[in-house]
Amino acid sequence: MRPERLLEYIPPVCVIGGGIALAAGGSGIPSALGSTSAVGVAGLSLMLVGATAGLLANVMLRRQSRNLAKQASESFSPGNLQPLEPPANILGPLVRSINECLAESERIVQGAQEQVRELEIQLKVATSQRRQAQAIIESINDAVLVTNAFDEVILANASAGKTLGFDPATIDRQPVDQVITDAALATAIRDVRLSGNPNERRESEHRFRLSPRDPERVFKLTLSAIAQSGKEPAGVVAVFHDMTRENEIARLKNEFVSSVSHELRTPLASIRAYVEMLIDGEAQDAKTAREFYDIIHAEADRLGRLIDNILSISRIESGLVEVKKAPVCPTVIVKQALEVIGPQAKLKNISIEEQLEPAFYQVNADREMLYQAVLNLLSNAVKYTREGGTVTARVSVDEAAKRCTVRVIDTGVGIPAKDLPFVFEKFFRVEENKSVAKGTGLGLSLVKNIIETAHKGRMFVESEQGRGSCFGFELPLC
Ligand code: ADP
């Protein structure tokens, strides 16, 4: 109750006081009319005394009520409810009960304030725990998704969003089967929660594609129930480890090992056969023996090249080889390679054309590796160009783009369009060109690895069957 309202109680009290006095005085009026004047005077006096007493009481009550109102307005400020001094009159009990009400309401307010403080602390703790959990799962490369006891997604990292195709920022306790489009996956997560085992943990391999146009991806899926003492799981943590690349690497390794063994076996078998013939005395004259020795020599050479190329490719691919980069001039390197290839070209009456930029343009590269790449391209051009053809070595520079391009162009047999996408794959050989020259199918793979893996450049090819080919690469200028 507001203190000003106390005043409302004062006038009736005063009126009652005055009334009692008047009643006491008034009781003499009929006797004054009907009997003696002494009694009438006494009655009148009593009436006056009563009225005066009533007025005095009224004045005193008004003063006290004003005091109380003043005291109340000084004592009652928000958060500071001081009890009022109860007056020693009929307002005393009223003030005391008001004080009790105030004390009780103050206790209630304090209790509520404490609860608010506790809730604020709990909210802060919960918010910081959530942030910590989010930071932990964000630091994990694998896709991580957490559901609650109602199968709603409560946490997910960016990787989960990318893997499963949703925006983690918009996740707000959505049902897991609305977040994950793959129904089998959502069911697997729900099954772990429904297992009833708070320590349930399941591992499985899961294959899915985000959309029909996306490639299929393979995941190792680990589902762990969130334990809560002795009860059903409080939710599930799902971790998706992408195995697509690992599986692909394992497949490529197997393919590589079987291709290598196959490729090594061919020259080995040939060497063994000719050695056996020599041992059996099948080379009866010196000329035949010489032929056998030449074949063994050529096959041993091929075996050596094969092994060298395999080692070079696997060293570059695995990053084991040290790439010693320094400013080198592509024009100089091309000239050196042309000097080596010149005699082979001459043997086939192939003319060599040079279209080279001045030697001051440089690229940052490993001299030996770059030389090996250019030599392989020139060697292929000569190998797959028939007698009388032309091989052109071109070095061009785009200063604006800060790029140097090396091209080896020939007028040779060319490559069928269907085979062009595969020419840089290990052991790939164009069927139609096998009769034109011998090879291992590793040269172009090595060149591509040198340019793209070791130097972060770009390799390209253009070819037309029967008209010729252009193999080349781009590297940034120094
Ligand atoms: P190879 O040792 O067989 O020459 P490469 O990896 O160097 O292996 O080349 C792969 C295949 O690409 C070759 O077998 C050949 O059929 C084709 N090829 C490469 N260079 C040329 C070229 N300049 N002209 C025509 N075909 C080529």
Side-chain angles (χ1 to χ4, degrees), residues 380 383-384 410 415 428-430 433 439-441 443-444 469 471:
N380 275 355
K383 256 176 25 178
Y384 296 104
D410 64 59
I415 299 165
F428 181 83
R429 302 200 69 212
V430 177
N433 299 352
T440 58
L444 286 179
S469 311
F471 282 86

Side-chain angles (χ1 to χ4, degrees), residues 234-263:
V236 177
V237 178
V239 180
F240 302 78
H241 179 66
D242 195 342
M243 305 272 292
T244 319
R245 198 166 149 65
E246 285 167 43
N247 280 12
E248 180 63 8
I249 289 172
R251 189 186 66 78
L252 288 176
K253 259 188 200 161
N254 287 344
E255 242 180 56
F256 181 65
V257 169
S258 63
S259 305
V260 168
S261 342
H262 174 77
E263 292 300 322

Side-chain angles (χ1 to χ4, degrees), residues 140-145 202 204 219-224 236-242:
I140 300 170
N141 285 336
D142 290 340
V144 183
L145 186 130
R202 292 181 191 173
S204 58
F219 290 91
K220 183 182 160 197
L221 175 61
T222 308
L223 298 171
S224 316
V236 177
V237 178
V239 180
F240 302 78
H241 179 66
D242 195 342

Side-chain angles (χ1 to χ4, degrees), residues 192 195 197-203 220 222-225 239:
V192 169
S195 68
N197 177 5
N199 300 314
E200 184 76 2
R201 186 184 162 92
R202 292 181 191 173
E203 280 184 7
K220 183 182 160 197
T222 308
L223 298 171
S224 316
V239 180

Side-chain angles (χ1 to χ4, degrees), residues 53-281:
L55 276 171
L56 275 173
N58 191 349
V59 169
M60 278 175 67
L61 278 173
R62 275 181 181 277
R63 187 181 297 158
Q64 275 183 348
S65 63
R66 265 199 303 276
N67 282 348
L68 274 173
K70 191 167 168 252
Q71 202 188 333
S73 68
E74 283 167 1
S75 316
F76 300 164
S77 58
N80 177 28
L81 296 175
Q82 297 293 331
L84 299 172
E85 191 64 48
N89 56 24
I90 56 163
L91 288 180
L94 178 66
V95 172
R96 268 192 290 278
S97 62
I98 288 170
N99 278 347
E100 276 168 23
C101 279
L102 286 176
E104 181 57 24
S105 60
E106 200 172 356
R107 274 195 296 279
I108 292 170
V109 168
Q110 273 176 4
Q113 281 174 340
E114 254 167 49
Q115 276 181 353
V116 168
R117 270 197 297 276
E118 248 172 54
L119 284 174
E120 276 174 355
I121 292 169
Q122 280 176 12
L123 187 70
K124 273 187 192 157
V125 171
T127 312
S128 100
Q129 279 176 345
R130 193 188 153 83
R131 282 209 193 107
Q132 277 175 3
Q134 189 73 41
I136 291 168
I137 67 166
E138 280 306 339
S139 68
I140 300 170
N141 285 336
D142 290 340
V144 183
L145 186 130
V146 185
T147 60
N148 63 11
F150 307 102
D151 297 320
E152 296 164 336
V153 178
I154 51 169
L155 274 178
N157 63 2
S159 174
K162 229 166 76 186
T163 306
L164 301 164
F166 64 87
D167 180 3
T170 60
I171 288 299
D172 188 18
R173 293 174 175 264
Q174 276 156 275
V176 68
D177 45 10
Q178 280 179 22
V179 175
I180 300 175
T181 46
D182 186 289
L185 205 54
T187 309
I189 293 173
R190 198 178 301 116
D191 282 353
V192 169
R193 185 189 58 78
L194 293 173
S195 68
N197 177 5
N199 300 314
E200 184 76 2
R201 186 184 162 92
R202 292 181 191 173
E203 280 184 7
S204 58
E205 192 180 280
H206 204 84
R207 290 167 183 266
F208 68 90
R209 40 182 105 225
L210 268 185
S211 75
R213 267 177 291 136
D214 285 316
E216 188 184 65
R217 297 172 72 188
V218 189
F219 290 91
K220 183 182 160 197
L221 175 61
T222 308
L223 298 171
S224 316
I226 302 174
Q228 56 174 347
S229 51
K231 294 188 205 152
E232 292 219 321
V236 177
V237 178
V239 180
F240 302 78
H241 179 66
D242 195 342
M243 305 272 292
T244 319
R245 198 166 149 65
E246 285 167 43
N247 280 12
E248 180 63 8
I249 289 172
R251 189 186 66 78
L252 288 176
K253 259 188 200 161
N254 287 344
E255 242 180 56
F256 181 65
V257 169
S258 63
S259 305
V260 168
S261 342
H262 174 77
E263 292 300 322
L264 292 180
R265 210 173 284 135
T266 318
L268 256 182
S270 174
I271 290 170
R272 187 182 292 139
Y274 281 97
V275 169
E276 275 169 12
M277 282 197 279
L278 282 171
I279 292 170
D280 293 347

Side-chain angles (χ1 to χ4, degrees), residues 176-419:
V176 68
D177 45 10
Q178 280 179 22
V179 175
I180 300 175
T181 46
D182 186 289
L185 205 54
T187 309
I189 293 173
R190 198 178 301 116
D191 282 353
V192 169
R193 185 189 58 78
L194 293 173
S195 68
N197 177 5
N199 300 314
E200 184 76 2
R201 186 184 162 92
R202 292 181 191 173
E203 280 184 7
S204 58
E205 192 180 280
H206 204 84
R207 290 167 183 266
F208 68 90
R209 40 182 105 225
L210 268 185
S211 75
R213 267 177 291 136
D214 285 316
E216 188 184 65
R217 297 172 72 188
V218 189
F219 290 91
K220 183 182 160 197
L221 175 61
T222 308
L223 298 171
S224 316
I226 302 174
Q228 56 174 347
S229 51
K231 294 188 205 152
E232 292 219 321
V236 177
V237 178
V239 180
F240 302 78
H241 179 66
D242 195 342
M243 305 272 292
T244 319
R245 198 166 149 65
E246 285 167 43
N247 280 12
E248 180 63 8
I249 289 172
R251 189 186 66 78
L252 288 176
K253 259 188 200 161
N254 287 344
E255 242 180 56
F256 181 65
V257 169
S258 63
S259 305
V260 168
S261 342
H262 174 77
E263 292 300 322
L264 292 180
R265 210 173 284 135
T266 318
L268 256 182
S270 174
I271 290 170
R272 187 182 292 139
Y274 281 97
V275 169
E276 275 169 12
M277 282 197 279
L278 282 171
I279 292 170
D280 293 347
E282 283 184 34
Q284 282 166 0
D285 55 282
K287 191 173 164 270
T288 317
R290 178 78 215 167
E291 263 173 33
F292 285 9
Y293 289 135
D294 283 348
I295 292 170
I296 292 168
H297 188 238
E299 290 299 315
D301 267 359
R302 184 164 171 240
L303 205 57
R305 273 202 312 278
L306 208 65
I307 291 167
D308 283 351
N309 279 344
I310 291 168
L311 281 179
S312 303
I313 291 171
S314 71
R315 277 199 198 122
I316 295 174
E317 278 185 348
S318 62
L320 278 178
V321 73
E322 193 193 346
V323 186
K324 295 177 200 140
K325 284 188 190 169
V328 292
C329 175
T331 293
V332 172
I333 287 179
V334 169
K335 272 186 167 295
Q336 285 171 350
L338 281 172
E339 272 173 33
V340 173
I341 224 73
Q344 287 175 36
K346 216 171 178 182
L347 278 178
K348 285 178 82 179
N349 198 22
I350 290 172
S351 51
I352 302 272
E353 273 190 27
E354 295 179 17
Q355 297 174 358
L356 308 174
E357 285 283 350
F360 56 77
Y361 289 109
Q362 291 185 317
V363 295
N364 204 23
D366 183 309
R367 177 181 291 276
E368 274 312 304
M369 284 189 177
L370 205 58
Y371 172 76
Q372 175 80 63
V374 174
L375 193 65
N376 272 10
L377 294 184
L378 283 171
S379 158
N380 275 355
V382 171
K383 256 176 25 178
Y384 296 104
T385 299
R386 298 194 195 278
E387 296 234 344
T390 307
V391 169
T392 307
R394 184 185 296 161
V395 175
S396 50
V397 163
D398 181 344
E399 285 200 46
K402 294 201 102 252
R403 199 170 45 212
C404 175
T405 308
V406 176
R407 287 184 178 84
V408 175
I409 308 156
D410 64 59
T411 56
V413 292
I415 299 165
K418 65 172 173 46
D419 290 333

